[in-house]
Amino acid sequence: MRTSVALGVWAYMVVAVLAEVETFYMIHVYATVAVVATVLATSQAVAVVLFYMQLKDEPGSLRLFSLIPIMFLSALLIAMLASLG
C-alpha cells in the first residue's frame, strides 16, 4: 500500500474521531449523537478493513464472507438499543 493512501486513511480516522467528540459535546439529543457516532464508527471500521487488512484485493467470495461478523454486530447493536428503552 502506498504511503499516501495510508496517511489519508489515518487522517480520515483522526478527523472522524474529532467529529465524534465534537458531536458529543455540541449536540444534546441522545438519538442524534448515537446515529452520528454509529455512522462515523462504521465508516472507520470499513476503512480499516478495506485498507489496512487489504480486503479490497481479495476475491469476492472472501469479501462476502467478511459480512457475516458485521451482521452479528449489527444484530447486537440493535438489541442493545432496543433494550435501552
Side-chain angles (χ1 to χ4, degrees):
M1 176 169 50
R2 295 187 330 197
T3 306
S4 61
V5 173
L7 186 62
V9 172
W10 179 82
Y12 169 72
M13 297 194 52
V14 169
V15 169
V17 168
L18 292 175
E20 288 176 9
V21 172
E22 188 70 23
T23 300
F24 177 76
Y25 286 116
M26 296 301 288
I27 299 175
H28 300 292
V29 179
Y30 175 74
T32 306
V33 172
V35 168
V36 170
T38 302
V39 167
L40 288 171
T42 303
S43 68
Q44 289 173 337
V46 168
V48 166
V49 168
L50 286 178
F51 293 102
Y52 290 126
M53 295 176 67
Q54 281 85 25
L55 193 59
K56 63 183 173 89
D57 299 327
E58 297 294 333
S61 60
L62 187 61
R63 282 188 272 166
L64 185 62
F65 186 70
S66 69
L67 291 176
I68 293 172
I70 294 172
M71 291 189 298
F72 282 125
L73 178 63
S74 62
L76 288 173
L77 290 172
I78 289 170
M80 180 191 73
L81 290 175
S83 70
L84 291 177

